């Protein structure tokens, strides 16, 4: 078991329990935010695990999740617009900043270990998609709520 | 070999925790969100068990399709159940 696998395990072990706790309690907006954070955490863990297993094709999992995770959150935000009108979670900005920082750090670490060329470009693309998807979904969670509230009142 | 099992154990514990939470949460809308996280944990478990193809389909089904189906059903049931409620005003 190498250092990448240790990092991936630590990432999963430290990142997902707060997500499960956040999705299990509190107001609905915090639960959606926790679900969005969970997809980011698992996508980054997939990047680390792919490096740990020395299987570059495992990064496809991360690529798929970076596209599907925000879609799932946006679906929730769209269908739960009525229930989310109470306002966005106050942790939204801090959690999003933490997710973006984590994806930058993980992408930099994985790119430093990858060979220059197409694999590195793919890793950079995946890292950018993960960070961007998290920001877009969190923004839709807070801004979409405001638009919905303005539209109904 | 023992340390390889550590990754699997962590993922198994996460799957068990999120599945327990999915059972404990009673409201279907909130359950859909917990199910999305359970799908993510299951995908991580399949990946560390060296089954990335299963994990790919689990990602698609668990994180998007199941919550979408549940939320759409809840929406339809609410509309049908409360025709004079706040759903009818929109």
């Amino acid at each position: 078991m190498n250092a990448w696998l240790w990092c991936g395990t630590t990432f999963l072990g430290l990142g997902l329990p707060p997500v499960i706790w956040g999705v299990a309690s509190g107001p609905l907006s915090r639960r959606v935010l926790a679900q969005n954070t969970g997809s980011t955490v698992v996508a980054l863990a997939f990047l680390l695990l792919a490096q740990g297993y020395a299987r570059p094709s495992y990064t496809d999992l991360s690529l798929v999740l970076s596209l599907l995770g925000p879609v799932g959150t946006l679906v929730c935000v769209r269908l739960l617009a009525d229930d989310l009108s109470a306002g966005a979670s106050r942790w939204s900005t801090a959690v999003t900043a933490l997710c973006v920082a984590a994806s930058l750090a993980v992408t930099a670490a994985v790119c430093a270990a990858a060979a220059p060329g197409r694999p590195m470009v793919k890793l950079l693309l995946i890292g950018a998609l993960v960070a961007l998807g998290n920001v877009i979904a969190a923004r839709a969670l807070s801004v979409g709520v405001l638009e919905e509230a303005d539209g109904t009142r | 070999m023992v340390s390889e099992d550590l990754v699997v154990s962590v993922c198994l514990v996460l799957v068990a925790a999120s599945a327990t939470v999915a059972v404990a949460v009673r409201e279907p809308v909130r359950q859909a969100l917990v199910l999305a996280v359970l799908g993510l944990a299951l995908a991580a478990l399949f990946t560390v068990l060296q089954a990335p193809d299963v994990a790919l389909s689990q990602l698609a089904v668990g994180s998007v399709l199941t919550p979408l189906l549940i939320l759409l059903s809840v929406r339809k049931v609410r509309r049908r159940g409360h025709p004079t409620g706040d759903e009818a005003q929109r």
Side-chain angles (χ1 to χ4, degrees):
Chain A
M1 189 158 159
N2 53 28
W4 293 106
L5 282 184
W6 277 111
C7 285
T9 312
T10 313
F11 212 82
L12 278 178
L14 292 184
L16 269 189
V19 166
I20 295 175
W21 178 70
V23 92
S25 62
L28 198 60
S29 60
R30 206 188 79 179
R31 297 183 189 224
V32 180
L33 180 71
Q35 188 258 339
N36 185 33
T37 310
S39 59
T40 304
V41 166
V42 175
L44 295 179
F46 280 156
L47 276 183
L48 291 170
L49 289 176
Q51 192 70 36
Y53 290 128
R55 300 267 187 97
S57 59
Y58 279 23
T59 51
D60 290 348
L61 285 167
S62 191
L63 179 61
V64 168
L65 184 53
S66 68
L67 293 174
L68 282 183
V71 169
T73 310
L74 290 177
V75 162
C76 289
V77 170
R78 175 71 188 83
L79 290 178
L80 298 177
D82 297 340
D83 301 329
L84 287 173
S85 56
S89 172
R90 60 199 165 98
W91 299 100
S92 180
T93 313
V95 170
T96 308
L98 200 64
C99 284
V100 170
S103 49
L104 284 182
V106 169
T107 311
V110 175
C111 280
R118 278 192 65 189
M120 187 188 268
V121 173
K122 187 179 174 186
L123 289 174
L124 281 174
L125 178 74
I126 293 173
L129 277 177
V130 170
L132 203 66
N134 187 286
V135 170
I136 287 176
R139 188 170 166 74
L141 183 57
S142 50
V143 175
V145 166
L146 292 179
E147 279 177 357
E148 189 71 24
D150 289 340
T152 51
R153 282 165 201 165
Chain B
M1 194 61 198
V2 174
S3 51
E4 290 281 329
D5 288 343
L6 178 69
V7 194
V8 180
S9 314
V10 168
C11 288
L12 273 176
V13 168
L14 289 173
V15 167
S18 48
T20 309
V21 168
V23 174
V25 171
R26 304 300 295 181
E27 200 197 346
V29 170
R30 301 179 174 194
Q31 222 168 18
L33 292 170
V34 184
L35 279 177
V37 174
L38 172 63
L40 291 175
L42 272 177
L45 176 67
F46 292 148
T47 306
V48 300
L49 289 175
Q50 308 295 320
D53 45 348
V54 188
L56 267 180
S57 47
Q58 174 61 40
L59 277 182
V61 171
S63 67
V64 178
L65 277 184
T66 313
L68 176 65
L69 283 179
I70 293 178
L71 289 177
L72 282 177
S73 312
V74 167
R75 199 178 165 90
K76 189 152 183 130
V77 168
R78 271 190 194 167
R79 271 199 185 151
R80 190 175 295 171
H82 305 284
T84 57
D86 53 355
E87 290 282 336
Q89 293 173 2
R90 292 194 296 136

